Each structure stands twice: as C-alpha cells, then as structure tokens.
C-alpha cells in the first residue's frame, strides 16, 4: 500500500531480475535491472536454490576465520551447497573479518587451510569436507565473489539512479519493503554491508515474501482490489535504465564494497 502512504517507501524485489519502486501517496516510480542469476545460486561453484541442505546463514569467527553456519532443514541435514542468503552473509562476514578488501578481492592468507589458492583464484572454505554431504570442501571462490559483486552493483546502481531521478536521498525513506524468495530470507544488515541496496537509516524494513503471488490472489478474489491494481499501474512512471547515462556511473561506483559513501553513511565511521 505504498500508493496510500504519506511517507516515501522503497520496494525491492530481488532475484535474477531486480525490480525497484519508489513512491508514496499519488506517485510511484519504478525501474528494473538484470541482476543475473548469482543470488539464486547459478554460476556459483557450490551455489544452489533455497532448499534443504543449503547453507542459509553464515558467521565467521574473527580469530580463527572458521565459519559457523545454519542449514535449511536444520540439524537433520548436512550442507550440500550455499544459497543466496548464505552467500551474502558469507561475503559480508569475509569483508568484516578482513578476508576480502573493498574491491572484493580475497587477500587474507593467515589461515591457509581456510583461505587458499584454488583453480578459480583465491577461495574461502565455508564448509570443510568432513562437515558436509559432498565429501569435499564447499568454498566461495574469487570468481564466485566477482559474480555476486556484479549482481549487487546492478541492483544498488538501479536504486541509486531511481532516487536521483525522483530527487530523494536515502535519509528520506520511511519504509523499505524486500520482496521475492531471496529478499525474504536475506539478512538486511549483511545486504547493506556488501551494498546490495543503500543504507536507509530512518526506514522500517519489512520482508514481505512473494509479493507478486500475494497481489495475484488479491486481484483474483476481489474486484475492488483489481480496480485498485489498475489505479496503481496508471500512476506508475517507469524509467528504462538501458538508455540512462547515469546507470553506468552508479553501477561502477557500486562495484566496491559497500559502494558510494553517500549511500552508506555508517561505513564512513
């Protein structure tokens, strides 16, 4: 109900494509970007969908650099790979632990059994072979991180362009809605740490799950909601990023972790 609220809200639907909406009562502006399939586990060596056996959340001990993780399905399952929320947690923790720098490069070699050279460059061992169901180390490689950073830069750059077009800053946002399966389970703190979307210090964060299916239910079951959906579409202004010169500038700025300093005020501290 962004179109009925007096405060300015942002909606981000995260997946292979990223859809972004900014607006409040009477006005809505939207755009979309090709984030790529990395958030859903594709083109990541041990990436997988959010199903049983997927590593979903990761913490890294600052001294030992060993990861502690949770698995979808709980204690009755061993790890078989890592899904999007787990990858974002791992990248954020690797950044906080000094394993990667602000360009996403794996640098730390203090623990060669965990941070080492691999076939795709440097890699970090998230789950040793002895702990998982594969019988081999589950790692995040330098190539994996490059794919993740490319995807996050596309989303963050899109949000930044849309905010610039409508003339609002991240300080003006009162609510942030995260949609989609990935958006519903990702840790918002980790997402901001790596720069998937800007820091919105004054916003309430709401993870709404599969918003498109919920909207379809409403439109099918209520004629009033179907009319309202058309009214929402009528006030929506769409920006095409493929022809916008600002996008490449914002995308390039977002290739660092977390991104442009103005969008991440806490990172300055």
């Amino acid at each position: 109900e962004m179109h009925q609220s007096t405060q300015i809200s942002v909606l981000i639907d995260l997946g292979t494509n990223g859809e972004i909406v900014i607006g409040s009562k009477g006005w809505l502006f939207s755009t979309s970007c090709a984030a790529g399939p990395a958030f859903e586990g594709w083109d990541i060596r041990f990436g997988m969908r959010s199903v049983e056996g997927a590593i979903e959340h990761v913490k890294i001990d600052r001294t030992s650099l060993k990861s502690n993780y949770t698995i979808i399905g709980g204690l009755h399952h061993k790890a078989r790979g890592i899904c999007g929320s787990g990858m974002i947690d791992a990248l954020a923790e690797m950044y906080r632990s000094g394993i990667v720098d602000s360009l996403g490069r794996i640098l730390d070699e203090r623990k060669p059994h965990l941070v080492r050279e691999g076939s795709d460059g440097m890699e970090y061992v998230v789950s040793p072979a002895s702990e998982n169901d594969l019988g081999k180390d589950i790692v995040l490689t330098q190539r994996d991180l490059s794919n993740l950073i490319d995807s996050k830069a596309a989303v963050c750059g899109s949000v930044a362009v849309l905010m610039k077009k409508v003339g609002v800053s991240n300080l003006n946002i009162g609510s942030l809605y995260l949609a989609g399966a990935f958006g519903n389970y990702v840790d918002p703190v980790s997402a901001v740490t790596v720069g998937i979307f800007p820091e919105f210090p004054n916003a309430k964060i709401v993870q709404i799950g599969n918003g498109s299916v919920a909207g379809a239910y409403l439109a099918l079951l209520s004629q009033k909601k179907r009319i309202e959906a058309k009214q929402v579409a009528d006030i929506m202004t769409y920006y095409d990023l493929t022809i916008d010169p600002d996008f490449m500038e914002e995308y390039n700025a977002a290739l660092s972790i977390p991104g442009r300093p103005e969008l991440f005020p806490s990172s300055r501290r």
Side-chain angles (χ1 to χ4, degrees):
E1 300 182 341
M2 293 169 61
H3 62 294
Q4 296 176 350
S5 174
T6 56
Q7 69 179 5
I8 301 174
S9 303
V10 173
L11 166 70
I12 303 175
D13 190 327
L14 291 168
T16 302
N17 295 308
E19 285 84 30
I20 299 102
V21 180
I22 296 179
S24 66
K25 188 173 184 177
W27 62 274
L28 295 167
F29 291 80
S30 66
T31 193
S32 60
C33 66
F39 291 149
E40 296 178 339
W42 293 94
D43 211 18
I44 304 294
R45 186 190 291 184
F46 289 96
M48 62 184 292
R49 293 174 56 242
S50 300
V51 295
E52 290 182 346
I55 295 172
E56 60 175 344
H57 289 298
V58 177
K59 293 291 183 185
I60 295 177
D61 184 272
R62 300 293 186 269
T63 303
S64 68
L65 300 188
K66 187 180 187 307
S67 72
N68 297 293
Y69 51 83
T70 59
I71 300 167
I72 297 176
L75 298 175
H76 301 296
H77 293 81
K78 287 188 174 182
R80 294 191 292 111
I82 184 166
C83 65
S85 61
M87 286 184 273
I88 296 306
D89 270 2
L91 177 56
E93 286 288 287
M94 290 167 74
Y95 179 63
R96 295 183 189 118
S97 303
I99 297 172
V100 302
D101 64 10
S102 62
L103 296 179
R105 296 175 298 193
I106 302 176
L107 301 175
D108 199 309
E109 296 184 43
R110 287 174 289 165
K111 307 288 181 180
H113 62 294
L114 294 174
V115 185
R116 66 197 186 194
E117 188 73 34
S119 58
D120 289 327
M122 295 291 289
E123 61 187 26
Y124 172 72
V125 179
V126 180
S127 173
S130 59
E131 295 180 4
N132 63 57
D133 222 13
L134 300 182
K136 56 185 175 181
D137 294 342
I138 294 175
V139 301
L140 278 176
T141 70
Q142 186 64 69
R143 183 174 179 273
D144 294 337
L145 298 191
S146 297
N147 287 333
L148 283 173
I149 290 170
D150 185 60
S151 293
K152 78 94 178 174
V155 176
C156 190
S158 301
V159 177
V161 169
L162 202 56
M163 288 198 302
K164 185 183 293 186
K165 295 300 180 188
V166 302
V168 301
S169 80
N170 48 335
L171 302 178
N172 301 135
I173 305 303
S175 292
L176 170 63
Y177 299 101
L178 298 177
F182 173 61
N184 193 48
Y185 293 105
V186 69
D187 181 347
V189 175
S190 293
V192 171
T193 297
V194 303
I196 295 180
F197 46 79
E199 180 182 0
F200 299 110
N202 301 318
K204 176 185 177 182
I205 298 176
V206 183
Q207 292 168 285
I208 65 173
N210 195 328
S212 59
V213 168
Y217 288 162
L218 290 173
L220 285 166
L221 295 173
S222 168
Q223 291 184 352
K224 180 181 176 182
K225 288 294 183 182
R226 201 174 310 173
I227 293 169
E228 188 178 346
K230 185 180 184 306
Q231 292 170 343
V232 170
D234 287 342
I235 65 171
M236 183 79 70
T237 300
Y238 177 76
Y239 277 112
D240 186 353
L241 295 180
T242 61
I243 57 174
D244 194 306
D246 286 335
F247 175 67
M248 190 52 66
E249 178 185 339
E250 294 293 344
Y251 166 79
N252 286 328
L255 287 171
S256 62
I257 300 175
R260 190 153 56 83
E262 304 92 284
L263 299 178
F264 301 92
S266 292
S267 68
R268 294 178 174 182
R269 300 191 293 272

